[in-house]
Amino acid sequence: MGAKRQLYSVSDINRKARMVLEGGIGEVWVEGELSRVTIHSSGHWYFTLKDEAAAVSCAMFSRDNAAVGFRPKDGLKVQMLARPSLYEASGRYQLIASEMEEAGKGNLQEQFEKLKAKLRDEGLFDEARKRPLPILPRKIGVVTSPTGAAIRDIINVLTRRFPNIGILLIPAKVQGAGAELGIAKAIRYLNTRNDIDVMIVGRGGGSIEDLWAFNEEVVARAIFESGIPVISAVGHEIDFTIADFVADVRAPTPSAAAELAVREKGDLEDTLSLYDRRLKQSLKTMSQDFRLRLNRAEHSYVFREPATLVKQYRQTVQAMETRMADLLKLDAQAKASRLENANVRMAHLLQSGVRQAHQRVDELGMVMQHQMERKAEHDRQKLQRLGSQLRMLNPLAVLGRGYSLTRKPDGTVVRSADGVEVGEPLVTLLADGKLVSNVTGKE
């Protein structure tokens, strides 16, 4: 009898397989392209992640995908943090994602922000320099791929809105290496023509890598330097590129760009018809008004009896002349009277002033004479005092009391007998004269 076989249920096997998958690999970062994206009403995402050689079913639950900054769509290349698992009910292997970001977006986003900041600081995004779109362009230039859906959408919308509008397509590569140079070259070429009134530059949707040519500096500067207004129409409504910020107008899609570029011909015709009716009505109203005014003028007194009117005006003028002459005469008389009164008042004021001046001069003369007499008396008394003092100080005054003053012939005063020599002449001054003598001896 053989060994007892061990039997497993399908559930057991699937459970063990799930545990092996989840425990043996754990969470890993996986890169691939999204396809068959389904967004469930519960908020969960279900999709397939594929590359050139393989595909795997995936899920991302609402509690995790709420933090993702974009909506998943087919063809979008992503990187996601996921753990392998197995759905036990069907035995289907799948990846359960907890984080997701656009592939390469980290590096590309950093480049995008740096270039955006640089060009903004240089003024390429300034609203003041952006031009309005023409109301009715003659011809519209389009820079895009000749084989993409964008050009078909643009042509369909333009021809529907304005069937005979001129459209000039400048084919350009819109993704991949060197695409930005071709786009810039096409923009510059359109600016060499004189028949383009507005241009549309753009392409359909795609990943950030697909749209990257419109984030290149060479394209931004070509748009900035364009003398023709530029409508940027790159990707879908949620996509923003550097070209959108520099362009005069940003359209969310190529179709929307075509709608912005030209109004519907029917609307323009309706507007012109409305203006035509208004103009005709205005002219009719003005004509009626002028006719009414002319009729009134024709029946007015001026045109019925012009001679009488002229005579009345002449009489009015003559009356005004007479009145003016009277007024001038009265004015002259009034001025003469005022002048005479002024002269009388002036003469009276002058006489009064002269009398007051004479009176003031007399008063000042009396004051001055009194002050001069007081001054003379004061000076006389002072002179007498000084004379008395001078006489008292005069050395000759003592001669009257019996004293004498002896001098040598040269005027030297003899103060001592030692000061003279025998035989030397002397002059003695007395109160009533002089004595001349010679020294005969000294004791």
Side-chain angles (χ1 to χ4, degrees):
M1 183 176 179
K4 187 177 179 179
R5 68 180 61 176
Q6 184 176 2
L7 294 176
Y8 292 93
S9 66
V10 175
S11 298
D12 292 336
I13 291 298
N14 283 353
R15 185 178 302 110
K16 286 183 177 292
R18 179 179 64 78
M19 295 174 64
V20 170
L21 280 172
E22 294 180 353
I25 299 179
E27 283 193 324
V28 293
W29 280 97
V30 187
E31 183 176 89
E33 181 182 310
L34 299 179
S35 67
R36 302 178 63 184
V37 175
T38 300
I39 299 178
H40 197 269
S41 59
S42 63
H44 304 327
W45 295 350
Y46 300 99
F47 53 91
T48 298
L49 190 68
K50 65 180 183 178
D51 58 18
E52 294 81 358
V56 60
S57 296
C58 304
M60 191 172 192
F61 302 124
S62 59
R63 66 176 181 274
D64 295 319
N65 65 39
V68 178
F70 60 92
R71 290 177 66 83
K73 56 186 177 181
D74 290 356
L76 185 63
K77 194 172 184 180
V78 299
Q79 292 180 353
M80 66 182 193
L81 179 64
R83 56 180 176 81
S85 184
L86 186 141
Y87 184 53
E88 295 181 14
S90 63
R92 182 167 55 89
Y93 159 64
Q94 63 182 357
L95 296 179
I96 307 299
S98 59
E99 297 181 28
M100 182 185 294
E101 62 184 38
E102 294 184 57
K105 185 174 181 180
N107 183 43
L108 292 180
Q109 189 66 28
E110 182 179 354
Q111 295 179 41
F112 176 89
E113 295 299 337
K114 286 183 178 179
L115 181 58
K116 180 181 175 183
K118 173 186 174 183
L119 299 183
R120 180 180 60 244
D121 293 343
E122 291 184 24
L124 270 67
F125 302 164
D126 290 351
E127 291 296 327
R129 55 155 289 273
K130 296 189 178 184
R131 296 153 296 185
L133 301 180
I135 296 176
L136 183 60
R138 297 166 299 170
K139 183 179 289 187
I140 298 174
V142 182
V143 177
T144 190
S145 169
T147 59
I151 185 60
R152 294 194 298 272
D153 293 341
I154 290 172
I155 292 175
N156 288 337
V157 173
L158 288 177
T159 54
R160 184 186 74 245
R161 293 172 69 83
F162 209 101
N164 56 338
I165 190 74
I167 303 173
L168 177 63
L169 170 65
I170 307 300
K173 184 179 177 183
V174 293
Q175 72 180 69
E180 68 279 5
L181 299 177
I183 295 170
K185 183 178 179 181
I187 293 171
R188 294 191 174 101
Y189 167 72
L190 285 175
N191 275 274
T192 64
R193 302 175 62 96
N194 58 7
D195 59 343
I196 303 299
D197 297 315
V198 64
M199 75 170 77
I200 299 173
V201 179
R203 56 155 290 159
S207 66
I208 189 172
E209 294 89 345
D210 295 338
L211 307 180
W212 193 253
F214 296 90
N215 288 323
E216 294 288 356
E217 185 172 355
V218 64
V219 173
R221 295 200 179 277
I223 294 175
F224 178 76
E225 295 164 1
S226 173
I228 302 171
V230 178
I231 303 174
S232 174
V234 182
H236 300 303
E237 187 169 359
I238 61 173
D239 298 317
F240 277 89
T241 64
I242 297 295
D244 294 328
F245 296 112
V246 184
D248 297 285
V249 176
R250 184 250 177 186
T253 63
S255 297
E259 292 178 353
L260 291 171
V262 64
R263 293 176 58 182
E264 288 195 13
K265 187 175 183 180
D267 291 343
L268 290 171
E269 290 174 343
D270 291 343
T271 301
L272 289 175
S273 296
L274 176 62
Y275 289 160
D276 180 65
R277 292 194 300 273
R278 289 180 177 177
L279 181 59
K280 288 179 179 178
Q281 182 61 41
S282 297
L283 291 174
K284 182 179 179 181
T285 302
M286 291 175 63
S287 176
Q288 292 174 347
D289 181 60
F290 284 131
R291 184 176 291 108
L292 179 61
R293 292 169 63 183
L294 180 60
N295 290 335
R296 290 175 179 173
E298 288 176 349
H299 295 86
S300 69
Y301 183 73
V302 175
F303 290 99
R304 284 189 289 108
E305 298 184 27
T308 302
L309 185 64
V310 170
K311 182 179 180 180
Q312 290 178 352
Y313 280 131
R314 182 177 291 113
Q315 290 174 349
T316 301
V317 171
Q318 291 174 351
M320 292 178 66
E321 289 177 347
T322 302
R323 176 63 176 164
M324 185 176 293
D326 293 340
L327 290 174
L328 290 174
K329 183 177 180 180
L330 290 174
D331 184 61
Q333 292 174 352
K335 288 181 178 178
S337 178
R338 289 198 297 270
L339 181 60
E340 181 64 25
N341 292 335
N343 289 334
V344 172
R345 288 197 300 271
M346 183 66 71
H348 177 70
L349 290 174
L350 288 173
Q351 291 174 0
S352 177
V354 169
R355 287 196 300 271
Q356 291 178 0
H358 286 166
Q359 184 178 355
R360 181 60 177 163
V361 169
D362 292 341
E363 292 175 353
L364 291 175
M366 293 175 65
V367 172
M368 184 177 293
Q369 182 178 357
H370 178 66
Q371 289 181 348
M372 289 178 65
E373 290 176 353
R374 290 182 59 188
K375 177 67 174 173
E377 180 62 25
H378 178 268
D379 291 344
R380 188 180 297 109
Q381 294 176 0
K382 184 177 180 180
L383 182 60
Q384 290 176 354
R385 289 195 302 272
L386 292 175
S388 299
Q389 293 174 2
L390 183 60
R391 285 192 298 273
M392 291 176 64
L393 295 174
N394 186 357
L396 299 178
V398 298
L399 299 181
R401 297 199 298 271
Y403 293 94
S404 63
L405 178 65
T406 302
R407 294 178 178 175
K408 292 182 179 182
D410 61 0
T412 303
V413 177
V414 178
R415 302 181 184 278
S416 172
D418 295 334
V420 297
E421 298 295 335
V422 176
E424 185 176 3
L426 298 174
V427 177
T428 301
L429 183 62
L430 301 175
D432 57 353
K434 298 179 182 178
L435 296 177
V436 178
S437 60
N438 288 316
V439 179
T440 59
K442 295 191 294 183
E443 294 181 0

